[in-house]
Amino acid sequence: MDMKITFSSLVMILVWFFPFRAASPERMIQIPGGPFLMGEMDKPTSSSQTVTVDEIWIDKFEVSNAEFTALFPEHTYPEGSGRHPVSLVTWEEARRYCEQIDKRLPTESEWEKAARGTDGRPYPWGNKKLRRKAHPSISGMIKRIVGFNKRDVSVYGVRDMAASVWEWTMGRSQGKRVARGGVWNHHLDYEYSRVYEFIEVAPEKAYIFLGFRCVR
Amino acid sequence: MRTLKKIGRRGFLRKFLLGAVTTIVTVLKPFSGSLYIAQARFNFWRSSEYVGKTREGRYKTFYIQYYKPFRRIERMGWRLKVRGLCEKPQEFSLEALKALPRIKQTSRIKCVECWSAKAEWEGFSLLDLEKAVQPRPEVLGVIFRCADTYVEYLSLKEMHHERTLLVHTMNQEPLSDEHGFPMRVIIPFKYGYKSPKAILEIEFVDRPKRGTWTQIGPYSTDGTILPGYDHPLDQGKKRRRIFGGEIRD
């Protein structure tokens, strides 16, 4: 009897543990160190340059509401959206979250290499826009679970770097912090950002379209 | 003779009923559906002139978008109804609203259809209206009901933002009918569909409600201005990048 219980418990633990680990957004992806082509390359006025970064590990997915709230319980989110990317967090809150789990925010160059690899591609998946839009006929910020778009995958396997939410980085510009990424449901506008696109945001601001991921 | 008399009565009744129905339909046709309900509840419409969507004349530099055309509002008859989850629901005249502490701001309305336009607005904060009506602790937000039957919801947090105003004055002049007379919301970090115009009623509620556009159009309930592009009408629609949130220039 004791053996059966022990065996059953073991099976249950294995069944629970492996799928959970396989789907866990805790996972990080290794981005090898070395040079890559950074910046705008697909226009005549290109401003690309070769930049070298050190090896890093980057979160495969953006930090979710549930993950963020585990460390910052005062942060609230709509019921049922625990696996949506966290947003409405300031740059400082994002930095503190990463710090508490022995990680940090990525630099712009680290973020961009994780998104495009070394060959200068403008989108994480390659050179062409995806013909199929993620959310046809939807305008404005409507979030989905992290990793929802199976096509938005970088050459290293990092997810949601052309869309989902914009992401805070360590980058600075004119007293503001630089965010990378994009959202996928503009109205009368492109649906996916190119990997070199950026926005400048005052660090004390918190927007529904702005989240983050961490590196180590 | 008997037959003729009988037919005459029936004919008279038929003609009378037909005439009555025709009269009712003719009178009420412009107010069909919910607009008719609004007409019954708010008896302050002016003349038979209608206000509606336009981009002509002076509105080439500040487009006008309404959900449905509606009859111009009579200033003297208009009262803002404030009701719902508050201790002292009441009605306010335009004069009473203009007597509230005034706040001026210059801000831009950014339409989800790409264009934007800027003006100087003057009005008051919902916080000052709340002092009179005293919303209950469970209130989460307010529902606006407008003359064009448009409905929009904004949370108290959004309404209490320092840049959110209930305005009655635009560029030192009373709001025109086209721009939302007698009162409209200005919330410059959200797309224009979150700034309802020609407001008739404010209701304090304890749960969010989807607004008109988010029910019938492809619009998110949040409405925050996203990073992308803007085509300002006052700058010749020249395309420019924006980084999300309020456009400050």
Side-chain angles (χ1 to χ4, degrees):
Chain A
M1 185 66 182
D2 287 345
M3 279 299 289
K4 280 184 180 176
I5 290 171
T6 304
F7 181 74
S8 302
S9 303
L10 185 64
V11 169
M12 285 178 69
I13 287 168
L14 289 171
V15 167
W16 171 80
F17 181 76
F18 281 106
F20 176 79
R21 295 299 298 171
S24 171
E26 287 289 328
R27 285 194 301 165
M28 301 186 82
I29 288 178
Q30 184 183 24
I31 309 298
F36 79 105
L37 288 170
M38 183 174 178
E40 193 170 355
M41 298 189 65
D42 49 354
K43 286 184 178 176
T45 55
S46 75
S47 59
S48 66
Q49 54 180 323
T50 301
V51 173
T52 300
V53 295
D54 294 333
E55 178 190 292
I56 54 160
W57 288 76
I58 191 166
D59 288 346
K60 181 176 181 179
F61 301 102
E62 291 155 340
V63 175
S64 70
N65 277 319
E67 289 171 316
F68 187 81
T69 309
L71 293 185
F72 293 85
E74 68 279 9
H75 184 82
T76 57
Y77 57 85
E79 191 179 337
S81 59
R83 293 178 65 199
H84 289 184
V86 70
S87 61
L88 293 169
V89 293
T90 65
W91 182 87
E92 180 60 21
E93 288 169 334
R95 188 197 67 77
R96 279 171 49 213
Y97 174 89
C98 295
E99 189 178 77
Q100 287 197 28
I101 52 173
D102 294 326
K103 298 180 183 177
R104 61 177 171 81
L105 290 171
T107 64
E108 283 191 79
S109 52
E110 288 168 343
W111 190 97
E112 189 169 322
K113 185 172 184 183
R116 75 192 310 184
T118 57
D119 60 5
R121 60 181 60 190
Y123 296 102
W125 52 83
N127 293 314
K128 292 183 179 176
K129 277 186 179 181
L130 291 181
R131 289 176 63 191
R132 189 173 179 180
K133 294 177 179 176
H135 292 291
S137 304
I138 297 295
S139 168
M141 195 64 225
I142 296 175
K143 295 200 288 185
R144 293 290 186 271
I145 61 171
V146 293
F148 172 79
N149 190 333
K150 304 286 188 292
R151 294 162 185 256
D152 189 353
V153 186
S154 84
V155 66
Y156 300 115
V158 187
R159 307 288 290 271
D160 298 331
M161 299 198 90
S164 188
V165 290
W166 287 87
E167 301 175 17
W168 288 114
T169 72
M170 297 287 282
R172 287 175 190 269
S173 179
Q174 301 178 53
K176 296 181 177 177
R177 290 290 178 177
V178 177
R180 295 299 204 97
V183 293
W184 54 30
N185 39 354
H186 275 261
H187 184 66
L188 304 176
D189 212 336
Y190 59 79
E191 295 280 325
Y192 296 96
S193 292
R194 295 174 180 83
V195 287
Y196 50 77
E197 292 188 39
F198 65 91
I199 57 172
E200 297 161 356
V201 186
E204 70 277 10
K205 293 285 187 183
Y207 289 113
I208 193 168
F209 58 76
L210 185 52
F212 67 100
R213 75 178 76 216
C214 310
V215 296
R216 180 178 285 156
Chain B
M1 184 66 186
R2 188 182 169 192
T3 304
L4 282 173
K5 192 177 180 182
K6 192 175 180 181
I7 290 170
R9 279 180 189 156
R10 285 179 179 174
F12 173 78
L13 281 172
R14 278 178 188 157
K15 283 177 183 175
F16 177 79
L17 286 172
L18 185 65
V21 169
T22 305
T23 305
I24 290 168
V25 169
T26 305
V27 170
L28 297 185
K29 194 177 177 183
F31 310 112
S32 59
S34 49
L35 192 56
Y36 169 63
I37 295 167
Q39 162 74 4
R41 289 173 63 191
F42 305 98
N43 186 26
F44 43 68
W45 308 100
R46 180 175 8 136
S47 77
S48 59
E49 276 189 89
Y50 283 78
V51 186
K53 181 177 178 176
T54 178
R55 296 183 173 187
E56 301 301 316
R58 59 194 281 209
Y59 302 109
K60 281 180 180 173
T61 54
F62 206 130
Y63 295 163
I64 302 299
Q65 179 77 298
Y66 273 110
Y67 176 45
K68 289 178 183 176
F70 62 97
R71 291 173 72 183
R72 294 183 190 277
I73 294 172
E74 168 57 50
R75 176 193 175 98
M76 297 307 291
W78 180 85
R79 294 284 187 281
L80 175 69
K81 290 177 188 283
V82 184
R83 64 183 189 91
L85 300 173
C86 51
E87 300 300 334
K88 297 179 178 176
Q90 54 191 288
E91 296 183 5
F92 296 86
S93 67
L94 187 54
E95 285 64 37
L97 297 174
K98 285 188 170 181
L100 292 172
R102 290 189 176 206
I103 303 170
K104 269 188 190 177
Q105 78 178 30
T106 299
S107 56
R108 184 172 289 278
I109 287 181
K110 164 72 177 160
C111 181
V112 76
E113 294 176 346
C114 297
W115 61 268
S116 73
K118 189 165 69 173
E120 182 193 84
W121 310 98
E122 188 172 357
F124 58 92
S125 167
L126 182 71
L127 286 164
D128 286 313
L129 199 65
E130 288 176 15
K131 288 172 186 168
V133 298
Q134 299 174 17
R136 293 180 189 159
E138 66 267 31
V139 168
L140 283 183
V142 289
I143 295 170
F144 295 95
R145 294 191 176 81
C146 307
D148 56 343
T149 74
Y150 190 72
V151 175
E152 189 51 89
Y153 168 86
L154 285 162
S155 71
L156 275 195
K157 187 180 176 186
E158 292 164 337
M159 287 304 300
H160 292 170
H161 191 282
E162 61 179 5
R163 297 287 286 173
T164 305
L165 292 180
L166 289 158
V167 307
H168 43 63
T169 304
M170 175 184 178
N171 295 332
Q172 294 90 46
E173 300 284 337
L175 277 179
S176 66
D177 294 329
E178 283 73 13
H179 283 298
F181 175 85
M183 192 184 81
R184 67 170 299 166
V185 172
I186 290 294
I187 182 163
F189 48 94
K190 300 211 175 244
Y191 290 117
Y193 69 88
K194 297 295 286 188
S195 292
K197 302 193 287 288
I199 296 167
L200 305 179
E201 182 179 283
I202 297 176
E203 180 184 0
F204 286 90
V205 293
D206 60 357
R207 64 190 62 185
K209 177 183 174 68
R210 293 184 71 183
T212 302
W213 281 132
T214 58
Q215 287 187 51
I216 62 169
Y219 303 125
S220 75
T221 52
D222 173 71
T224 298
I225 297 173
L226 297 176
Y229 293 94
D230 180 34
H231 299 76
L233 297 179
D234 51 321
Q235 297 171 30
K237 299 187 191 176
K238 190 177 177 184
R239 182 172 130 132
R240 62 174 178 176
R241 283 193 72 193
I242 54 170
F243 289 151
E246 180 178 354
I247 305 167
R248 285 284 188 163
D249 63 338

